[in-house]
């Protein structure tokens, strides 16, 4: 039995048969160009994440293969196709659930201690000087099960897509934004840090309504996706203004930052950033998301190796330099 990193590293154009244990994180039924039905199964362990295709799945397999469960995959064909690691479960393949497996043993994670993350979040929240902005955040938490914010993933696939991911992403952005403000505010004193902190806490908050999660904290689309967390967030801030919690200018500024934090319309932004605060939030959002994706990609590589396939979250084939090692950094 191999781990997924070993399978990817030893993959070549010559097919070979492999066996492995992995957690299924997502299953999608698709149709090939030849009109054949197959299951596109995303799998992960602590070393890597890969995708497996199961052609002509039986009705029993469709019923029993579920995300959030660990399976033993035997006699799986592994090969390199167009630079990608291709896993195919053919007629001789066997897939059986491991009922005794601990899901945490298959978590592909770089998550810091969530208790410390929560402490950092609370400490940064306490530094917000504006009482009305603090109240907006309190009202947002009051509108949902408060603990969900600290437990939810931040995305379905691209970044921070694991338990506590939303908290991890939010704290990373808050700390990055404060570093940016500490550098630039002496030169550009009109930057409002309270707006930035409040908007960062709220920017992905309504993904709590955009996603549903299973017992393994894998996210799938919910009804809120029809509106997007950007529109839901901006609408919530508007309701706070209409209830007199914040004034009209604060509403416009916060709503604008939330509506523009994806940066470009083609990436889901409602408008493009038009203020310094909106620009900072967008930039640290993009930075934090891509650093997470890059770190996860590098975990599956050896020093001096490129990814064999393009990383969609980063936008290119990630490389891990020998200079990135702890030993090299200390020399």
């Amino acid at each position: 039995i191999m781990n997924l990193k070993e399978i990817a590293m030893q993959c070549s154009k010559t097919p070979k048969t492999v066996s492995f244990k992995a957690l299924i994180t997502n299953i999608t039924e698709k149709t090939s160009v030849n009109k054949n039905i197959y299951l596109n199964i995303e799998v992960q362990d602590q070393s890597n994440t890969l995708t497996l295709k199961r052609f002509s799945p039986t009705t029993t397999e469709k019923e029993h293969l579920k995300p959030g469960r660990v399976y033993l995959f035997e006699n799986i064909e592994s090969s390199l196709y167009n630079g990608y690691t291709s896993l195919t479960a053919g007629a001789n393949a066997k897939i059986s659930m491991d009922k005794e497996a601990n899901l945490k043993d298959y978590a592909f994670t770089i998550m810091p201690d969530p208790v410390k993350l929560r402490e950092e979040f609370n400490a940064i929240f306490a530094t917000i000087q504006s009482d009305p902005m603090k109240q907006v955040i309190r009202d947002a938490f009051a509108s949902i099960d408060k603990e969900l914010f600290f437990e939810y993933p931040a995305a379905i696939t691209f970044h921070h897509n694991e338990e506590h991911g939303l908290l991890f992403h939010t704290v990373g952005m808050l700390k990055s934004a404060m570093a940016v403000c500490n550098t630039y505010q002496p030169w550009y004193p009109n930057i409002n840090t309270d707006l930035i902190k409040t908007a960062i806490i709220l920017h992905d908050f309504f993904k709590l309504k955009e996603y549903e999660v299973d017992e393994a904290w894998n996210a799938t689309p919910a009804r809120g996706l029809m509106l997007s967390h950007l529109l839901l967030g901006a609408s919530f801030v508007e309701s706070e203004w209409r209830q007199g919690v914040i004034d009209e200018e604060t509403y416009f500024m916060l709503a604008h930052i939330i509506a523009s934090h994806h940066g470009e319309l083609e990436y889901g932004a409602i408008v493009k950033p038009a203020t310094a605060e909106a620009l900072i939030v967008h930039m640290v959002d993009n930075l934090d998301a891509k650093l997470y994706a890059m770190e996860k990609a590098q975990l599956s590589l050896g020093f001096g190796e490129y990814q064999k396939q393009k990383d969609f979250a980063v936008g290119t084939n990630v490389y891990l330099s020998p200079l990135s090692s702890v030993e090299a950094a200390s020399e």
Side-chain angles (χ1 to χ4, degrees), residues 95-292:
I95 306 175
S96 54
M97 186 170 68
D98 184 347
K99 295 181 180 179
E100 305 300 320
N102 186 337
L103 296 183
K104 291 186 177 180
D105 292 338
Y106 294 85
F108 187 53
T109 181
I110 56 173
M111 178 67 60
D113 182 353
V115 174
K116 291 183 179 179
L117 285 174
R118 188 165 181 164
E119 291 172 352
E120 289 184 287
F121 174 86
N122 290 333
I124 295 172
F125 170 76
T127 65
I128 297 174
Q129 300 297 308
S130 168
D131 288 332
M133 290 192 212
K134 275 188 173 179
Q135 189 58 48
V136 171
I137 296 170
R138 292 191 186 100
D139 289 346
F141 274 97
S143 72
I144 51 99
D145 178 351
K146 179 178 179 179
E147 291 304 309
L148 287 179
F149 174 83
F150 299 105
E151 297 171 343
Y152 240 61
I156 294 177
T157 54
F158 278 176
H159 71 94
H160 299 84
N161 53 324
E162 57 181 309
E163 184 180 6
H164 310 297
L166 181 56
L167 173 63
F168 185 15
H169 178 48
T170 301
V171 171
M173 284 182 62
L174 286 167
K175 294 173 73 173
S176 295
M178 292 309 96
V180 170
C181 289
N182 288 338
T183 298
Y184 286 102
Q185 208 170 28
W187 301 330
Y188 308 114
N190 291 328
I191 295 172
N192 186 312
T193 57
D194 275 1
L195 280 172
I196 290 172
K197 293 172 190 175
T198 304
I200 286 175
I201 292 171
L202 295 175
H203 87 288
D204 276 353
F205 189 91
F206 287 93
K207 285 185 175 181
L208 299 174
K209 294 185 177 181
E210 198 174 66
Y211 304 148
E212 295 175 346
V213 295
D214 60 22
E215 62 270 22
W217 296 99
N218 297 304
T220 53
R223 191 175 183 182
L225 193 63
M226 296 176 68
L227 298 176
S228 89
H229 61 282
L230 291 83
L231 181 55
L232 291 171
S235 297
F236 174 79
V237 173
E238 180 183 10
S239 71
E240 291 290 284
W241 163 53
R242 294 192 181 280
Q243 294 175 55
V245 178
I246 51 176
D247 61 34
E248 186 176 26
E249 185 63 22
T250 302
Y251 150 58
F252 272 108
M253 291 292 283
L254 284 176
H256 172 72
I257 298 171
I258 295 169
S260 66
H261 77 262
H262 282 187
E264 299 291 337
L265 304 187
E266 62 188 286
Y267 297 134
I270 299 173
V271 291
K272 298 177 77 168
T275 67
E277 293 83 3
L279 178 64
I280 290 170
V281 172
H282 161 58
M283 297 297 284
V284 297
D285 182 32
N286 191 41
L287 174 67
D288 190 70
K290 288 190 174 178
L291 281 177
Y292 175 95

Side-chain angles (χ1 to χ4, degrees), residues 61-74:
E61 285 177 328
K62 290 182 180 181
E63 292 176 351
H64 292 285
L65 291 176
K66 301 291 185 183
R69 298 177 182 175
V70 174
Y71 294 83
L72 172 62
F73 297 83
E74 299 177 276

